Amino acid sequence: MKYIFLDESGELGFKNSSSRYFVITLLSCDEGDIYSLRKIIRKVRQKIIKKKLKRYPEIKGNNSTDKIRKEVLERFMKTNSEVFTIILDKSKVYEYLKNKKSKLYNYISNLILNECSLDNSPSVCLIVDKSKSNRSLREDFDNYVRKRLNERGSLNKLIIKHENFQNKARLQVLDFVSWAIFRNYEHKDPKFIEIIKDKIVIKKEIFQK
């Protein structure tokens, strides 16, 4: 079975205080690679994280030290995973879409999912963070993705799961990867994306209306 994990960095708000960019990142791997991803966070906790922080279940790219970020990303580079990412410049979003954030999210998620090769896998499990949306929005997402994959003849045996990323070490790794890509665009800081650049199979930039 192939596993695809989906996470995002930035947000889809359009206030003056909102981020300029919104990034969706997919991590694709085979079932045998799941343990390697899960082990990364455990090893980093053992090696670097101070004792008083070890009781927290989640470490994230945006609240970690550069030392932790570098360690996670360098360990990630030793796995067999692949990264697909799409970067949206929100200043280019049409006005009528700014009030339809869930539709915009579904649309750009599907754009990057289209870049993943699913046809060679007998079954695919897509795992999405459920903490950021209600049940109705999750169902809309599932229906949209299934419909679009069916249209391109790539529905296969698709399983969609919505999990809380907080307690999933393998998904915390994806958070660091997505954060590194977002950091490069939002803050013009390329030192973290440079670590993982060879894992990025597809990088799509949406900078025009």
Side-chain angles (χ1 to χ4, degrees):
M1 176 181 285
K2 179 178 287 293
Y3 282 82
I4 299 175
F5 303 99
L6 183 153
D7 196 17
E8 70 265 7
S9 292
E11 30 75 37
L12 274 178
F14 292 92
K15 300 177 181 178
N16 290 335
S17 58
S18 299
S19 63
R20 176 175 176 176
Y21 295 95
F22 181 71
V23 174
I24 287 183
T25 305
L26 306 181
L27 189 159
S28 175
C29 68
D30 293 327
E31 190 170 8
D33 299 312
I34 297 295
Y35 176 73
S36 297
L37 290 169
R38 186 185 299 123
K39 189 168 60 173
I40 291 173
I41 298 299
R42 176 166 57 84
K43 290 293 186 181
V44 171
R45 284 181 175 278
Q46 292 172 348
K47 182 178 179 181
I48 296 179
I49 298 179
K50 294 180 180 179
K51 188 174 182 179
K52 66 179 181 180
L53 296 178
K54 288 186 177 180
R55 66 180 181 271
Y56 294 104
E58 183 179 28
I59 58 173
K60 296 172 66 70
N62 65 2
N63 63 10
S64 297
T65 64
D66 283 359
K67 185 177 181 180
I68 292 173
R69 292 163 179 157
K70 183 178 179 182
E71 185 74 19
V72 171
L73 295 175
E74 288 180 345
R75 288 178 179 273
F76 169 71
M77 288 300 296
K78 298 176 183 178
T79 71
N80 293 321
S81 308
E82 294 181 329
V83 173
F84 302 77
T85 187
I86 190 164
I87 302 99
L88 172 68
D89 182 345
K90 296 190 299 180
S91 67
K92 307 300 183 182
V93 173
Y94 289 111
E95 287 297 322
Y96 77 93
L97 284 174
K98 292 181 178 180
N99 293 321
K100 299 178 179 179
K101 296 177 186 178
S102 63
K103 293 185 182 300
L104 180 59
Y105 179 89
N106 292 349
Y107 172 73
I108 58 178
S109 295
N110 181 65
L111 282 182
I112 197 61
L113 277 167
N114 279 340
E115 301 296 338
C116 295
S117 177
L118 307 180
D119 298 330
N120 296 328
S121 302
S123 57
V124 177
C125 183
L126 171 63
I127 300 178
V128 186
D129 187 2
K130 74 175 182 180
S131 66
K132 299 181 179 65
S133 61
N134 60 40
R135 182 174 180 178
S136 176
L137 293 179
R138 292 197 294 269
E139 290 177 351
D140 286 346
F141 174 87
D142 292 357
N143 292 335
Y144 183 87
V145 168
R146 290 182 186 280
K147 180 180 179 181
R148 294 293 175 250
L149 288 178
N150 192 44
E151 288 173 352
R152 62 181 262 214
S154 299
L155 188 57
N156 294 317
K157 296 179 180 178
L158 177 69
I159 302 168
I160 302 178
K161 294 183 179 180
H162 295 263
E163 297 184 356
N164 191 324
F165 279 24
Q166 181 176 355
N167 297 314
K168 305 290 184 181
R170 63 188 186 272
L171 305 178
Q172 291 177 36
V173 173
L174 173 55
D175 176 84
F176 279 83
V177 172
S178 189
W179 175 88
I181 298 167
F182 175 78
R183 180 81 181 179
N184 177 64
Y185 286 88
E186 186 74 16
H187 300 286
K188 305 298 184 288
D189 179 5
K191 63 178 176 288
F192 297 103
I193 196 174
E194 280 293 313
I195 298 173
I196 61 170
K197 64 181 181 180
D198 290 340
K199 284 290 186 188
I200 301 175
V201 179
I202 296 291
K203 182 172 64 176
K204 294 177 71 73
E205 298 174 342
I206 305 179
F207 289 170
Q208 296 180 345
K209 290 186 179 180

